[in-house]
Amino acid sequence: MEATILHVDMDAFYASVEQLLDPSLRGKPVAVGGGVVLAASYEAKAFGVRNAMPGRRARELCPELIFVDGHFKDYQRLGDAAVAVLGDFTPLVERLSIDEAFADVKGCTHLFGSPAEIARKVRHRVRSELGLPISVGVARTKHLAKIASQVAKPDGLAVVDPERELEFLHDLSVELMWGVGPVTQARLAEIGVQTIGQLARMPGRSLTRLLGSVVGEKFSALAWNRDPREIVTHRR
């Protein structure tokens, strides 16, 4: 089965838009917000600044951090424009948030080239038409495509060969899995599970006891890249 699912994710979106709107901010550590960091540029992330971090802590980590107010209408406008680029290649687009979406390009490769070529074209158009960085993951399943786009960051492309999926997946940290937050990651670390491969090899009963039957079964399946979900175009 060919890898035809794309996951596109705008890089540090709010902060990137602010740097686009105000060129004097480019190359500088920028955070959107004030009391709490809503988004941070990669220059700020290099100092350890993260989303949802208290502003005071962010300033301690990065004394040169520049806080800016958000331009939310511009975020919506540019997010819509980026998703519209995907729509120029395929009608099978599932938007997850203002800056993130899936697309299945299996029906349009005869028009636009291989999935990897389509991903490169999407990235080029978003950069040239909107002036924004975007990372794209290409894989056979939604779960793996989303992980691939995270691996590709910042401003990159990762294509997962269907014949080497588990080789790609199992060395990665469990924090990259969809649904694994800090609390779940800490609980898994307590039993020695830090990589997706270690999670995949955990006995099902152990995961069920730790996470519950539904979540344990879900994570076990995803760790083996068993993800039958298709693109849902009507959900936003």
Side-chain angles (χ1 to χ4, degrees):
M1 185 176 178
E2 190 178 8
T4 63
I5 295 180
L6 277 58
H7 179 263
V8 302
D9 196 354
M10 308 292 284
D11 295 330
F13 182 55
Y14 289 2
S16 294
V17 171
E18 296 301 331
Q19 291 175 320
L20 175 68
L21 298 176
D22 183 355
S24 71
L25 298 176
R26 294 176 186 172
K28 298 178 181 179
V30 174
V32 178
V36 175
V37 175
L38 299 180
S41 68
Y42 278 99
E43 296 85 358
K45 290 181 179 181
F47 287 87
V49 178
R50 294 291 182 268
N51 294 1
M53 176 179 287
R56 179 179 299 179
R57 176 57 178 159
R59 290 186 178 90
E60 290 174 353
L61 292 172
C62 181
E64 297 182 358
L65 185 63
I66 302 170
F67 271 96
V68 297
D69 294 329
H71 292 81
F72 293 94
K73 289 184 178 179
D74 289 301
Y75 302 158
Q76 189 67 58
R77 172 178 61 84
L78 290 165
D80 290 347
V83 173
V85 170
L86 277 178
D88 287 343
F89 292 92
T90 175
L92 298 177
V93 176
E94 177 181 343
R95 191 168 186 175
L96 299 180
S97 66
I98 193 171
D99 61 346
E100 185 182 5
F102 285 112
D104 194 335
V105 298
K106 62 186 174 185
C108 60
T109 54
H110 63 292
L111 295 174
F112 303 112
S114 70
E117 290 172 334
I118 293 172
R120 282 190 284 269
K121 290 173 181 176
V122 168
R123 293 189 65 241
H124 174 73
R125 282 192 53 187
V126 171
R127 171 65 79 175
S128 62
E129 296 174 16
L130 305 180
L132 292 169
I134 186 170
S135 293
V136 183
V138 184
R140 190 177 53 84
T141 66
K142 292 171 75 171
H143 175 247
L144 195 53
K146 184 174 174 66
I147 287 180
S149 72
Q150 295 177 74
V151 171
K153 287 181 174 291
D155 195 19
L157 168 64
V159 180
V160 183
D161 184 342
E163 296 183 0
R164 303 180 65 183
E165 290 176 341
L166 298 183
E167 180 182 339
F168 171 85
L169 184 63
H170 280 180
D171 287 338
L172 299 174
S173 170
V174 291
E175 67 179 323
L176 292 178
M177 287 186 62
W178 205 345
V180 175
V183 174
T184 301
Q185 184 182 358
R187 295 179 70 182
L188 290 171
E190 289 175 357
I191 60 171
V193 174
Q194 296 180 321
T195 69
I196 296 175
Q198 290 171 334
L199 177 63
R201 292 186 288 272
M202 281 288 296
R205 290 182 180 178
S206 298
L207 280 180
T208 296
R209 284 196 299 268
L210 182 69
L211 303 174
S213 59
V214 175
V215 175
E217 291 174 6
K218 171 188 172 184
F219 285 167
S220 180
L222 292 179
W224 290 103
N225 196 34
R226 294 195 291 267
D227 182 12
R229 293 172 301 168
E230 298 182 349
I231 300 297
V232 181
T233 57
H234 60 270
R235 183 172 63 203
R236 174 165 175 169

